[in-house]
Amino acid sequence: MTAVCIVLLPGAGAPNGGLPLAGPLPAGAAGAAVPGRVGTWNICNPCGNGNDFGRATEIATYAPQVIALQEACVRDVERIRRYLEEVYGLVYRVEYGPVLQNWNRCGGLPWRPGGYGQAILSAAPMTDRVSVEYPDGGSEDRGFLAVTTLVDGRPVRVFNTHLAERRQAEVRTGQIEVLAAEFARHDRAIVLGDFNAVPHAPELAPMWALAPDTDPGCRPPTTDTGTEPDGDDACTTTTDWDSKFDYVFLRGITPGTHHVRPSPYSDHHLVYADLNRGQAASHLKRPSSRSGLR
């Protein structure tokens, strides 16, 4: 009986206090949070494969300074943060924007259900947290979370949102009106999230009017014809069903490179962007005479 109890105790007899053993990260994985890198990922709940250690490994591989998570349960995010710090040495702060307290989806006890909604992980401290639930969430409550933090040493307002489901365009129209009005108040801001809408969807027009997405081949429809210049085929898909639903909108910030990484742990891909760190001050710098330096 004693032996059985030891086996059943969480973490009993396991190395490193019950933490999973980390295998090597892929070649080229970041060793620390990458300056100027921001990301977004709908981690999928429920997907039936809620592997929080696998999710932490995905985040650790790319190590953005800031990453926005959607469909996030508070307990799952806490585990992800623990794995990031104790297994991979990456320390993130967290802010939550729950829109539901859901026992069936997030576990807990019926009288103490888990919070579900948005979360922002940031390597730098966050201030001025605002969590807004949209007046109409559609088939499920939805909202946005906003914080102020440092990205590459400069303050920026960061938004994380998850809009109504894909067949609810009219609901998304109202949600985007709320989000865009707040986004427009800031000269330097980033909106990350799952919009559940393809780039040429009419409801996205207010966002395109305020900011570009970091995907260089992805642009809004032309105003004269109402059609997209290169079609949605020019946009990198971000979901398992070959649609682009996930965006990194930049206001007052120049995009650098854009990356989309499929994952076995979600039906959405992990999306991240490296911002153009040197452009704002490039006119103050003299070219280096050394080869290989730029």
Side-chain angles (χ1 to χ4, degrees):
M1 180 63 72
T2 301
V4 170
C5 290
I6 291 174
V7 171
L8 293 178
L9 284 172
N16 200 23
L19 289 173
L21 292 175
L25 293 175
V34 179
R37 178 171 291 178
V38 297
T40 182
W41 193 16
N42 182 322
I43 59 176
C44 190
N45 186 318
C47 264
N49 60 353
N51 186 328
D52 291 329
F53 180 66
R55 291 165 172 162
T57 302
E58 295 281 271
I59 295 171
T61 298
Y62 310 111
Q65 275 195 301
V66 173
I67 185 164
L69 304 178
Q70 302 88 43
E71 297 194 16
C73 292
V74 170
R75 291 180 177 87
D76 291 344
V77 175
E78 287 302 322
R79 282 191 292 268
I80 290 169
R81 284 182 69 215
R82 183 187 177 204
Y83 297 147
L84 284 168
E85 180 172 358
E86 298 187 22
V87 178
Y88 295 111
L90 295 169
V91 179
Y92 285 97
R93 286 83 168 172
V94 64
E95 290 289 354
Y96 296 101
V99 293
L100 292 172
Q101 299 294 323
N102 194 300
W103 175 63
N104 290 328
R105 177 167 282 182
C106 290
L109 300 171
W111 55 89
R112 190 172 175 269
Y116 168 85
Q118 288 70 248
I120 295 176
L121 302 182
S122 174
M126 291 175 278
T127 60
D128 303 320
R129 172 193 170 274
V130 173
S131 182
V132 173
E133 189 171 324
Y134 294 124
D136 184 358
S139 55
E140 180 181 82
D141 293 349
R142 297 290 164 92
F144 74 78
L145 170 67
V147 300
T148 298
T149 188
L150 297 179
V151 176
D152 197 24
R154 298 185 62 189
V156 61
R157 191 67 172 166
V158 177
F159 294 81
N160 177 14
T161 193
H162 186 197
L163 301 189
E165 294 180 356
R166 69 184 81 173
R167 294 180 179 87
Q168 299 174 350
E170 290 186 5
V171 176
R172 289 196 300 275
T173 297
Q175 294 172 347
I176 288 176
E177 288 178 357
V178 174
L179 175 64
E182 185 62 27
F183 185 34
R185 296 179 57 243
H186 303 275
D187 294 330
R188 181 176 168 82
I190 303 171
V191 173
L192 306 161
D194 173 9
F195 281 70
N196 272 318
V198 294
H200 68 271
E203 64 267 27
L204 280 185
M207 295 302 301
W208 288 119
L210 290 170
D213 178 61
T214 56
D215 185 344
C218 196
R219 292 295 176 262
T222 55
T223 55
D224 53 346
T225 64
T227 59
E228 52 278 19
D230 299 310
D232 281 351
D233 290 342
C235 302
T236 306
T237 61
T238 66
T239 66
D240 287 352
W241 52 92
D242 296 329
S243 293
K244 177 178 171 64
F245 278 2
D246 305 271
Y247 296 83
V248 180
F249 288 109
L250 302 180
R251 182 169 169 82
I253 304 170
T254 304
T257 56
H258 178 83
H259 310 267
V260 178
R261 299 290 184 257
S263 168
Y265 306 111
S266 177
D267 56 353
H268 285 250
H269 307 336
L270 194 156
V271 179
Y272 70 90
D274 290 310
L275 308 183
N276 193 329
R277 302 172 57 197
Q279 185 178 32
S282 61
H283 66 287
L284 301 177
K285 298 180 180 179
R286 292 166 48 185
S288 173
S289 60
R290 293 173 163 184
S291 64
L293 293 182
R294 47 184 181 165

